[in-house]
Each structure stands twice: as C-alpha cells, then as structure tokens.
Amino acid sequence: MEGYELVQTYEDADAVVVNTCGFIDSAVAESLDAIGEAMAENGKVIVTGCLGKRAEVIREAHPGVLSISGPQDYASVMEAVHAAVPPRHDPFVDLLPDYGLKLTPKHYAYLKISEGCNHGCSFCIIPSMRGKLASRPVDEVLREAERLVRGGVRELLVVSQDTSAYGADLRYEPREWRGKAYQTRMKALCEGLGELGVWSRLHYVYPYPHVDEVIPLMAEGKVLPYLDIPFQHAVPRVLKLMKRPGAVDRTLERIRNWRSMCPELTVRSTFIVGFPGETEAEFEELLDFLDEAQLDRVGAFAYSPVEGARANELPDPVPEEVKAERLARFMERQAGISAARLEAKVGTVQRCIVDAIDGELAIARSMADAPEIDGTVQIQNGWFAGLKPGDFVDVEIMGSDEHDLFGEVAFDEEAERPLRPGELPAVLV
Ligand code: SF4
C-alpha cells in the first residue's frame, strides 16, 4: 500500500499508527495506555480515531506523538505517515491499488456504510462527536466492496454506528449496481453483498424490528449468520433510563424466532452493568436473561460516566465496588454459557478462514468469530495441510475452552491425509 508494508511488531515498524476510542472513560484510558506503549517501544507514533477529537487529552499524556487526527481522517493519517517515513519512489508500486488503502490484513476489510447516529442513548456522546446519521449510497458501498474483493479480500466487516438505520437519512434511495436496483437499506445491502461470494459480517446492528428481515438472508448464506447486536440491558425500566428505543420487552422472543429461522446464527452482544439506578433485583433479572438468551459472545462494561453524557445526571449512582462485583458476576455467568456453547461444537465440522500460520498451527476463525473481538479456531495440522492466510477450510472441531476451538483440517480417509483447501467443495469464492 503506497509502498508501505504492515508489520506485526514494534521492532519491525518504522512508525506506529494507534487507532483510539473515546467512547467511555475506560476506553480513553486503554487508548492512552496503547499510545504510551507504542511511544516506549517505538517512539514514532501517529494517533487517530475518536479520541483524536480531544487532542489536548492525548498531548497532555504523551506530548511526543507525531500527529493526532480524528475518526475517518485517512488523509491526515497518510500525511503523517509520509512525514514520518517518506515514501521511496518506485514507479512499479507508487500507484494505489484499485482496492484502495486498507489498515487490516489483506484477506479481511472493514466496510464503512455510514457515519453518525440519530439516537440519544443517555450514556453515549458519539452523536455529539460524530453528528447525525450520514449514509453512503448503496451503489457506492457495493462498488467499494467489489474493489476490495478484487484486491483479495475474503471477508467484509460491515461497520457503522448504527447498521440497522442504514439509509434512513437518504430515504432508502434506490441506486443501480450491476444493472439492478438496490435500495439504500440494510436488507438490500446484504442482498448485494451476497452476490460477491465472500464472507460479509454485520456489526453494530441495533435491535429494530426490521432486523428480522435479514435473518432469512443469513439462512441462505448471503451474509454470515452472525449478529453483533448491542442489547445493553434486559430490563425495560433500565433501558428506558438509557433512552434505548424500541420494543425492548420482546427481545427473548425475537432471539428464539431468529434461531428458528437460522439455527446456525451466532449472537454477540454488549451490556452495561451498574447503570445509575440499577437495583440488585434488576441486575438479577439481567443474569436470568443471560441464562434464557444463551448468547454466544458477550462483552460487558461497568457503567462509567462519560464527560458530557446525560446519564451523569441520573439519581442513585451504583457504588464502584457494587459495579465491580456485578461485572464479575455477570462475566462469570456468561463465561459458563459461552464455554458450553463452544463445547457443543466439538465433533462438528466448521468452515473457517485462516488468519495466520504460527509454527505448525494455523490460526483461523469460524463464521461465529469476528476478528479481534471473538475467539479463534486453532488448526493443529494447519501448516502440514499447506494452509495460508485468507484460505477457507473445513475444520473438524476436537476441543474447546472458554473462548477458542481446536481442531484439524478434515481428513481425506482415502488419500490418508488432510484435505487441502483446493479440494474442498467450492462453497465460497
Ligand atoms: S445507538 Fe446509542 S450507543 Fe449507539 S452510537 Fe447511537 S447514541 Fe451511541
């Protein structure tokens, strides 16, 4: 990419780009720690992302950073990269490839469909940082996806602040792509992505009623059977305090319904525990919800007030030690559920995508695992089977722990060796 190469260690890097988050105080602290680590290990540090909007916070903690830019400001990041590590002129590589600039490994890429959000969740300041929903027309998004696939991408990660609201600001305007009309809305986008023959994974899907419409597309294999859907809580009174709209009391029924339409569906969600006013009884109701919902992957935060958020004015804040204790109980309850759901996959065959080769192992992910946030599938005979990053492969699952699965490339009994990726049924690509 512009003659630069992405490397995995501080040692090998000529400069480090740190992507930050400024959403809640713990994310700010984590971002500042990451910058500090990069400063100590490498010294040439370029900071970007949400926290870049609060440059003074970064400058105060780390005055030596080379540059600070806000979210989506790729131009500033590249300008800073050019200044820190001037590009060598090479007429053969200086032209940008037609799939553009990508800050992820070659085989997966984030596909941004919109920016901003029209909600006003009381704990969140994203709308004030990023503004109202602004969607990209569907043909533009699909053309970018097409370019990425041509450039070698095998998995598209659809991101936004609110994927379900996609296109509402454009009144779901129909546009043409590959000679066919597609509306600028989530379902039509999924139909278009389904034409590309790669994995497409939906992130930040807000639980609106029309989410139900994309589940059949998951069952048909148009997009991955994976929903990253932040529920935040399960008790209607707390959700009301959070100013989360929608029919919050039907969540369990909806999850059951989704699973009956698409049994392979993986549901990932996030929750906030210790929100102001959350009683012990309400927290226990949340734990009961976890038992009932049997979600596959769950992230949780103890509520922490964000500067400028309306929730700070709510009465009855939960004391810090109670928050910490609830978070631990919540995570313990979910750990058992996640582990049991992974264990149930032992003995099955899962289609996976390979991320890396590590000695004899191939580190891969199944359809249920998004990069960075979910688990992995460690393929014990991955190197022997000749796998390389970006390959799709069917893996026989032989073991599991709380987060990850372990297995081997499905064995060809006749040839008495593992199947090679090229020999698998060409379901994808
Ligand atoms: S939906 Fe709520 S939590 Fe998500 S970005 Fe919008 S305001 Fe923030």
Side-chain angles (χ1 to χ4, degrees):
M1 137 228 319
E2 292 199 35
Y4 295 104
E5 201 187 322
L6 291 175
V7 293
Q8 300 301 320
T9 63
Y10 289 119
E11 226 179 9
D12 294 335
D14 294 314
V16 180
V17 179
V18 180
N19 194 9
T20 59
C21 178
F23 180 31
I24 54 170
D25 289 356
S26 59
V28 173
E30 213 174 285
S31 297
L32 290 175
D33 281 355
I35 298 168
E37 184 184 299
M39 287 296 289
E41 298 284 335
N42 182 286
K44 279 188 166 184
V45 179
I46 294 158
V47 181
T48 188
C50 282
L51 191 58
K53 286 261 187 187
R54 295 162 66 193
E56 68 294 348
V57 176
I58 299 169
R59 287 257 175 248
E60 195 180 310
H62 303 292
V65 299
L66 297 178
S67 137
I68 300 173
S69 55
Q72 307 309 313
D73 191 355
Y74 299 116
S76 298
V77 173
M78 286 319 290
E79 205 176 291
V81 170
H82 291 157
V85 189
R88 267 172 301 153
H89 182 72
D90 181 339
F92 295 105
V93 296
D94 269 358
L95 289 176
L96 263 180
D98 80 339
Y99 49 89
L101 177 66
K102 213 162 55 64
L103 299 172
T104 50
K106 197 172 180 293
H107 59 282
Y108 67 82
Y110 293 92
L111 185 64
K112 183 101 184 176
I113 58 167
S114 64
E115 184 59 82
C117 171
N118 287 346
H119 293 298
C121 303
S122 59
F123 53 82
C124 176
I125 53 165
I126 283 180
S128 66
M129 286 171 97
R130 297 198 166 185
K132 291 265 179 215
L133 177 74
S135 304
R136 299 173 62 201
V138 71
D139 56 328
E140 203 179 282
V141 174
L142 289 171
R143 275 202 304 274
E144 182 185 342
E146 215 172 12
R147 276 199 302 277
L148 288 164
V149 172
R150 269 207 308 274
V153 165
R154 298 294 186 87
E155 179 175 1
L156 295 161
L157 306 152
V158 174
V159 291
S160 69
Q161 256 79 56
D162 181 0
T163 295
S164 328
Y166 175 57
D169 54 316
L170 300 179
R171 295 170 188 253
Y172 308 115
E173 189 192 353
R175 307 277 283 225
E176 200 179 296
W177 177 69
R178 290 186 172 179
K180 195 176 149 195
Y182 287 85
Q183 279 193 315
T184 301
R185 68 161 73 223
M186 182 169 69
K187 183 176 176 220
L189 172 71
C190 291
E191 282 165 349
L193 291 174
E195 297 297 308
L196 294 172
V198 296
W199 281 8
S200 298
R201 194 182 290 282
L202 302 181
H203 286 286
Y204 313 117
V205 177
Y206 198 90
Y208 294 118
H210 69 262
V211 172
D212 300 11
E213 294 173 5
V214 301
I215 308 294
L217 298 179
M218 294 182 173
E220 283 170 40
K222 296 264 186 202
V223 286
L224 286 179
Y226 180 97
L227 264 188
D228 173 10
I229 187 157
F231 293 123
Q232 308 300 12
H233 212 281
V235 176
R237 192 191 76 89
V238 180
L239 286 162
K240 225 167 161 187
L241 289 174
M242 290 178 169
K243 298 251 179 289
R244 305 279 290 174
V248 293
D249 46 351
R250 286 190 45 236
T251 304
L252 277 175
E253 193 188 320
R254 293 185 69 200
I255 295 172
R256 268 187 223 115
N257 191 25
W258 295 337
R259 286 192 170 133
S260 72
M261 284 192 266
C262 179
E264 310 77 49
L265 181 68
T266 295
V267 185
R268 146 172 276 279
S269 193
T270 47
F271 293 85
I272 297 174
V273 301
F275 192 75
E278 181 196 62
T279 63
E280 174 60 23
E282 285 167 335
F283 174 68
E284 280 174 17
E285 215 179 299
L286 176 60
L287 294 182
D288 291 345
F289 171 86
L290 288 184
D291 288 339
E292 290 272 333
Q294 293 286 305
L295 303 174
D296 299 273
R297 305 278 187 188
V298 167
F301 301 97
Y303 173 75
S304 87
V306 182
E307 211 183 304
R310 283 179 300 155
N312 301 347
E313 288 141 35
L314 288 171
D316 307 321
V318 177
E320 287 304 321
E321 62 281 8
V322 177
K323 278 196 245 174
E325 182 251 358
R326 285 184 190 168
L327 180 62
R329 280 161 69 199
F330 181 97
M331 293 314 284
E332 196 190 328
R333 183 72 66 99
Q334 180 58 36
I337 296 168
S338 297
R341 291 189 71 78
L342 285 178
E343 205 183 335
K345 295 186 180 179
V346 174
T348 65
V349 172
Q350 301 288 327
R351 175 142 286 207
C352 296
I353 189 167
V354 176
D355 278 338
I357 302 299
D358 181 5
E360 292 187 357
L361 296 180
I363 310 298
R365 285 175 294 105
S366 71
M367 297 193 196
D369 308 305
E372 316 278 343
I373 52 174
D374 293 328
T376 60
V377 180
Q378 296 180 12
I379 309 172
Q380 313 295 316
N381 57 350
W383 177 81
F384 176 61
L387 294 176
K388 48 187 192 328
D391 280 342
F392 287 111
V393 59
D394 285 344
V395 181
E396 207 176 317
I397 304 301
M398 292 161 162
S400 67
D401 63 18
E402 232 174 72
H403 302 288
D404 302 313
L405 293 171
F406 309 90
E408 288 190 350
V409 176
F411 204 77
D412 181 336
E413 299 292 343
E414 269 182 32
E416 294 191 341
R417 61 168 171 74
L419 281 168
R420 300 208 166 99
E423 298 167 327
L424 292 170
V427 176
L428 292 160
V429 180

